[in-house]
Amino acid sequence: MIPWPIYIFILIELCIVAYLDLKYRKIRNIWIFLNIVISIVLFIIFPSLYLFKIESFQFSIVFIFVGFMLYMMKIMGGGDSKFLSSIFLIIPLDLQDGAFSALLISTICVGFIVFVRNFVSNFPKIVESFRNSDLAGVKSCFGTKFAFAPVILIAWLWVGTILIDT
């Protein structure tokens, strides 16, 4: 279980970062540093909730490596992957699996919506590109990244509804 002040803090931070990500399409490193400092404080203040063991860092470590690969493939922004890695540092270990599941489902849903929107809005170009065997033209209709911080916010709101139910 997570103390409500921590949940609310993460919620407020995600609202701000999501807004800034949508507006500027960039997540500043100050948010990553803030999360790291707060995680250190939380590990000291709440040692029973924030256990200092490798399992507490598993998602953060994986997000750094997977995020770097996604960044290299131009699928995810560097700031998105660093922020995602750092936000999991301030989520208690017992909530990380649920937060990851919510994030995965939110990413699939938002990705599907973006895909359908791109498909519908670019349908004539897609048809023309297929007629001309122009795969680069088809790819150009789907090759845009979307702001990921709002997806993290949606997942965190979902985690909150789970917390309310329990």
Side-chain angles (χ1 to χ4, degrees), residues 84-105:
L84 184 58
S85 177
S86 74
I87 200 78
F88 266 82
L89 292 173
I90 59 177
I91 298 174
L93 178 59
D94 63 341
L95 280 180
Q96 287 184 3
D97 285 336
F100 175 72
S101 296
L103 179 66
L104 186 61
I105 293 168

Side-chain angles (χ1 to χ4, degrees), residues 5 12-13 17 24 65 79 84 94 101 113 142 152 158 165:
I12 291 169
E13 179 183 350
V17 172
Y24 299 110
F65 288 110
L84 184 58
D94 63 341
S101 296
I113 290 167
F142 300 103
I152 303 169
W158 190 1
D165 289 343

Side-chain angles (χ1 to χ4, degrees), residues 2 8 41 47 53 66 70 81 93 95 99 103 116 128-129 146 152 154:
I2 186 170
I8 297 298
V41 170
K53 55 186 194 175
V66 171
L70 293 173
S81 62
L93 178 59
L95 280 180
L103 179 66
V116 169
E128 187 64 31
S129 294
F146 56 86
I152 303 169
I154 291 167

